[in-house]
Amino acid sequence: MTAPTPDIVTRYLDAADSRDSAACAACFTETGTVVDEGKTYRGREEIFDWREATLSRFTYTTTVTGSEAVSDSEYRVKVLVEGDFPGGIARLTFDFTLEDGLIAHLSIVE
């Protein structure tokens, strides 16, 4: 099922696609967190560093394949990622928790 996503989620996904780590980090609250590949990144500085590290390791494209509102503040986005990482294709789920118009938490899982 595909549902409209909040502006901040769209802004994050667009910034990630354009490889703009600063814009990605700016989508988060001051104390926002990201969990990716079993690691947790806290605050905008660590989130910026995480995006930069990811960009330096791999080249990839993303395609949103679906989205749904889980609650008033939680959104799930399904993403197909293709690139030069091991396996070359990944189907990921981005679980966003929003707070005051920004992302408070993002969990990325397969």
Side-chain angles (χ1 to χ4, degrees):
M1 155 183 2
T2 299
T5 56
D7 179 60
I8 193 66
V9 171
T10 301
R11 282 181 26 215
Y12 170 82
L13 294 169
D14 289 346
D17 279 348
S18 67
R19 305 174 67 85
D20 187 340
S21 299
C24 284
C27 291
F28 286 82
T29 63
E30 290 283 333
T31 58
T33 57
V34 173
V35 175
D36 184 32
E37 297 184 282
K39 295 181 184 169
T40 301
Y41 305 91
R42 292 178 174 81
R44 290 180 180 152
E45 186 175 331
E46 284 188 17
I47 292 168
F48 173 85
D49 292 343
W50 158 72
R51 288 293 310 155
E52 286 291 292
T54 299
L55 294 173
S56 70
R57 290 178 21 216
F58 306 115
T59 302
Y60 58 89
T61 60
T62 61
T63 304
V64 172
T65 60
S67 63
E68 65 179 309
V70 177
S71 71
D72 288 343
S73 62
E74 297 176 339
Y75 294 84
R76 179 166 293 136
V77 179
K78 301 284 187 173
V79 179
L80 174 66
V81 182
E82 297 179 272
D84 60 2
F85 52 87
I89 295 176
R91 287 172 178 76
L92 303 177
T93 300
F94 288 49
D95 285 324
F96 293 91
T97 302
L98 307 183
E99 180 181 292
D100 298 326
L102 295 171
I103 301 167
H105 181 74
L106 169 59
S107 179
I108 302 171
V109 297
E110 283 193 59

